[in-house]
Amino acid sequence: MFKHYVHCALLLLGTLMSSAISAQTLKADFRHRPPEMLVDSSTNQLSGPLKDIIEEAAQQLGHSIEWSVVPFARSLNSLKSGETDIVPRVIRNAEREQFVQYVGPISEQVKNIMFVTRSDGQDVKSYGDLQAMNIGVKRGTAYFDQFDQDNTLRKVVVNDDFNLARMLEAKRIDAIVVLDMGALESEFKVMNYSGYRATSYFYPNRIGNFYGMPKNHPLSAAFSQKLAEMVKNGRVTEIYSKYGLSAE
């Protein structure tokens, strides 16, 4: 009987030790991307459906997540070096495929690539009109192949919407190429600036909403399966609804 109790105790201890070893605190990067990712500038509190979804997936897999607010360009470098485990909302392209393991998508969304100018500035009616402009672009952001690979355009590369918005108002650039109109408009609102408009020309774009992990990350398959389950059982839709948003 004593041997039986000792055997059971050893099995329990082994189980607990195994759980402790397998449980991980994963490093994840965050950035202000309304409405799906929000950073409160006064409290530095993070919120949004993309945060909740991946945290719930991690919890169900026995892991936790430690968040850091990081510019997206640095997040890409961290994915390449393996310094971070998860980055929400990484757009898929051929260059990133070499070092990013895409997890998802949790949805597909229409994200037309817009161009924004000052209200009194020149309209953009076709792609060719961009040749005459200084165009603000965000460092590390993929827009669409024709634009990304066009070295004849005068592109002014900056880190964030904060700088893009202020450079447009100051007439240091003529236009901004925009993937997330909501994020840029948030900056204009902070500035109390309304002298801007979307141009006639835009690039129609439908993208998958992926999380990025380093290539060959040991947990990427588990997260892919868990997120697929959350999509299938409607949990992703429920989380988006909590914020008054649609996953589509």
Side-chain angles (χ1 to χ4, degrees):
M1 180 67 72
F2 176 74
K3 288 183 179 180
H4 173 72
Y5 284 126
V6 170
H7 179 68
C8 291
L10 288 173
L11 285 176
L12 178 59
L13 179 61
T15 301
L16 292 173
M17 289 179 65
S18 175
S19 297
I21 292 171
S22 61
Q24 296 183 38
T25 299
L26 303 173
K27 294 181 179 180
D29 290 354
F30 202 84
R31 63 196 186 278
H32 189 60
R33 267 292 168 275
E36 293 176 298
M37 295 189 286
L38 304 168
V39 180
D40 189 311
S41 57
S42 60
T43 64
N44 213 35
Q45 183 176 350
L46 313 182
S47 62
L50 296 189
K51 177 176 181 288
D52 292 358
I53 289 166
I54 199 67
E55 283 184 339
E56 186 168 312
Q59 183 181 29
Q60 291 182 17
L61 292 170
H63 307 297
S64 59
I65 292 181
E66 180 181 286
W67 293 97
S68 298
V69 178
V70 177
F72 184 62
R74 194 190 306 169
S75 293
L76 286 179
N77 288 331
S78 295
L79 284 173
K80 188 180 295 186
S81 66
E83 293 176 21
T84 193
D85 297 294
I86 299 170
V87 178
R89 205 176 173 289
V90 179
I91 294 175
R92 194 169 201 158
N93 66 21
E95 180 183 353
R96 295 173 185 171
E97 287 273 7
Q98 300 176 38
F99 60 90
V100 175
Q101 191 74 43
Y102 288 93
V103 177
I106 58 169
S107 65
E108 286 193 344
Q109 299 173 321
V110 174
K111 288 283 185 180
N112 293 332
I113 310 298
M114 311 292 292
F115 290 87
V116 172
T117 62
R118 290 180 298 278
S119 297
D120 59 356
Q122 176 186 343
D123 190 16
V124 178
K125 297 181 179 179
S126 68
Y127 183 86
D129 291 340
L130 297 172
Q131 289 287 341
M133 296 183 159
N134 293 315
I135 308 161
V137 304
K138 195 177 301 180
R139 191 182 309 279
T141 297
Y143 297 101
F144 56 99
D145 286 346
Q146 182 184 13
F147 181 85
D148 295 339
Q149 298 168 15
D150 191 342
N151 295 323
T152 68
L153 297 176
R154 299 196 301 272
K155 302 174 188 176
V156 181
V157 182
V158 301
N159 287 331
D160 49 34
D161 292 301
F162 177 93
N163 287 298
L164 285 172
R166 285 153 182 80
M167 289 174 72
L168 184 72
E169 182 189 31
K171 300 185 178 181
R172 293 172 59 193
I173 53 178
D174 304 306
I176 302 172
V177 57
V178 186
L179 179 60
D180 290 307
M181 193 66 178
L184 183 64
E185 287 183 323
S186 293
E187 289 297 339
F188 285 142
K189 185 176 181 180
V190 169
M191 296 163 56
N192 196 30
Y193 176 64
S194 59
Y196 67 93
R197 63 171 174 172
T199 66
S200 302
Y201 173 76
F202 65 90
Y203 180 82
N205 190 38
R206 188 172 184 87
I207 61 172
N209 200 337
F210 291 92
Y211 293 87
M213 300 181 76
K215 201 74 173 179
N216 301 318
H217 193 288
L219 295 176
S220 61
F223 271 98
S224 289
Q225 181 177 350
K226 179 55 64 177
L227 290 175
E229 290 174 5
M230 293 175 68
V231 170
K232 187 175 181 179
N233 65 25
R235 182 58 182 152
V236 165
T237 299
E238 289 177 4
I239 292 174
Y240 266 88
S241 297
K242 185 176 72 172
Y243 290 89
L245 301 172
S246 170
E248 297 301 322

